[in-house]
């Protein structure tokens, strides 16, 4: 995941690497004046070309769900001062205004969460999945969310669980639940923790009667219990991570999350 930095490299005569992109093992981001470039490693380049060849990337870009992206042609990297030995360099359409999830009002965070789930469902149908679910990968063009990290998509092996589920809950679902069900704003919590709101923290803040609601019990209480149960037990965590999940079960999980998030509203709305 790459938290974007607005304007970095603008007006400079050579590309500047975004210092936040060190977190992405598949590549990183460069800024050059008003242009944004992403470089990918061998593995990242292979996965991106599979994504592009599948037609999924074009479908998502045409709908606005993913930032328009093109592969640099031969010689362009050298002309821009980028290392031509990099396996793949992409250019993204720049975002005119950068914002972060701790600045978004309830409705924008909710819209971003639902758009992510729509992209996830479509990805699974095309044989791909989103490997992470950080809200830093989403920006807004006007009031429309768009995903900016094309390296988040990877081929999905049948039976493999969705590794980004817990992160999606921390970054999207839990902040929305906190504000909708208790009236507490989520902005300070998201600003102070780039990992979002943990299920154990949300459970502590929810009234007991709220915890008994089926969807909250599944996505918050059960997750908090599992976090405590397997904390520090590496073998147990690996065993859970390796459990097989059918595509039907994955679609059912996406449907459940969509229903829960769609049914939430800002207090007083």
């Amino acid at each position: 995941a790459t938290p974007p930095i607005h304007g970095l490299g603008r007006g400079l005569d050579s590309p500047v690497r975004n210092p936040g992109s060190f977190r992405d093992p598949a590549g990183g981001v460069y800024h050059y004046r008003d242009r944004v470039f992403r470089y990918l490693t061998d593995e990242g380049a292979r996965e991106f070309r599979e994504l592009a060849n599948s037609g999924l990337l074009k479908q998502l870009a045409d709908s606005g769900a993913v930032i328009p992206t093109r592969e640099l042609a031969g010689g362009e990297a050298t002309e821009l001062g980028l290392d031509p030995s990099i396996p793949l360099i992409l250019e993204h359409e720049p975002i005119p205004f950068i914002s972060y999830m701790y600045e978004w009002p309830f409705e924008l965070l909710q819209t971003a969460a639902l758009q992510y789930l729509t992209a996830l469902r479509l990805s699974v149908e095309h044989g791909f999945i989103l490997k992470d679910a950080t809200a830093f990968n989403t920006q807004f063009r006007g009031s429309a969310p768009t995903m900016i990290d094309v390296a988040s998509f990877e081929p999905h092996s049948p039976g493999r669980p969705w590794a980004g589920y817990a992160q999606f809950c921390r970054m999207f679902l839990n902040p929305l639940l906190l504000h909708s069900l208790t009236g507490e704003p989520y902005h300070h919590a998201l600003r102070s923790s780039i990992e979002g709101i943990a299920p154990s923290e949300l459970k502590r803040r929810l009234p007991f009667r709220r915890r008994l609601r089926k969807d909250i019990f599944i996505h918050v209480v059960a997750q908090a219990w599992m976090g405590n149960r397997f904390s520090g037990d590496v073998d147990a965590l690996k065993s859970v991570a390796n459990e097989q999940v059918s595509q039907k079960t994955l679609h059912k999980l996406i449907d459940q999350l969509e229903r829960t998030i769609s049914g939430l509203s800002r207090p007083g709305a």
Side-chain angles (χ1 to χ4, degrees), residues 101-102 104-107 109 172-192 197-208 210-211 264-268:
M101 68 280 186
Y102 49 76
W104 300 342
F106 180 91
E107 289 80 4
L109 183 61
F172 290 104
L173 177 63
N174 292 351
L176 291 169
L177 285 171
L178 175 67
H179 190 49
S180 181
L181 300 182
T182 72
E184 292 185 46
Y186 50 77
H187 305 86
H188 177 72
L190 292 181
R191 183 184 291 273
S192 60
I197 299 175
S200 56
E201 177 64 17
L202 178 59
K203 177 189 171 186
R204 184 181 66 80
R205 297 189 186 192
L206 289 178
F208 180 76
R210 296 288 196 184
R211 303 177 200 171
L264 298 176
S265 60
R266 176 171 44 86

Side-chain angles (χ1 to χ4, degrees), residues 34-79:
D34 290 318
R35 302 172 71 180
V36 181
F37 302 95
R38 182 181 300 275
Y39 69 90
L40 298 176
T41 62
D42 286 321
E43 180 66 14
R46 181 187 65 77
E47 291 181 349
F48 175 81
R49 290 193 170 108
E50 285 188 41
L51 176 67
N53 292 335
S54 72
L56 173 61
L57 180 63
K58 184 178 186 306
Q59 187 172 347
L60 290 170
D62 288 348
S63 71
V66 169
I67 194 76
T69 300
R70 74 177 186 94
E71 181 176 346
L72 289 194
E76 284 187 274
T78 302
E79 292 176 7

Side-chain angles (χ1 to χ4, degrees), residues 35 55 83 115-116 154 157 171 198 266:
R35 302 172 71 180
D83 185 352
Q115 184 250 38
Y116 176 95
E154 65 178 358
S157 302
M171 300 292 279
R266 176 171 44 86

Side-chain angles (χ1 to χ4, degrees), residues 59-215:
Q59 187 172 347
L60 290 170
D62 288 348
S63 71
V66 169
I67 194 76
T69 300
R70 74 177 186 94
E71 181 176 346
L72 289 194
E76 284 187 274
T78 302
E79 292 176 7
L80 291 166
L82 296 167
D83 185 352
S85 67
I86 294 173
L88 180 64
I89 300 177
L90 308 171
E91 182 171 9
H92 296 312
E93 181 180 291
I95 300 291
F97 180 79
I98 297 299
S99 62
Y100 299 94
M101 68 280 186
Y102 49 76
E103 299 171 321
W104 300 342
F106 180 91
E107 289 80 4
L108 288 191
L109 183 61
Q110 184 180 42
T111 301
L114 292 173
Q115 184 250 38
Y116 176 95
L117 292 174
T118 298
L120 175 63
R121 176 185 284 105
L122 193 59
S123 298
V124 172
E125 292 172 355
H126 281 74
F128 287 81
I129 202 161
L130 286 157
K131 67 180 76 171
D132 54 23
T134 173
F136 282 116
N137 283 348
T138 296
Q139 287 297 316
F140 279 86
R141 292 187 290 180
S143 60
T146 188
M147 301 175 69
I148 61 172
D149 188 358
V150 296
S152 289
F153 296 86
E154 65 178 358
H156 182 222
S157 302
R160 183 180 170 191
W162 170 33
Y165 167 64
Q167 188 176 43
F168 178 85
C169 291
R170 294 195 305 269
M171 300 292 279
F172 290 104
L173 177 63
N174 292 351
L176 291 169
L177 285 171
L178 175 67
H179 190 49
S180 181
L181 300 182
T182 72
E184 292 185 46
Y186 50 77
H187 305 86
H188 177 72
L190 292 181
R191 183 184 291 273
S192 60
S193 173
I194 62 172
E195 300 301 330
I197 299 175
S200 56
E201 177 64 17
L202 178 59
K203 177 189 171 186
R204 184 181 66 80
R205 297 189 186 192
L206 289 178
F208 180 76
R209 63 183 179 84
R210 296 288 196 184
R211 303 177 200 171
L212 299 179
R213 208 174 87 177
K214 182 179 178 181
D215 53 353

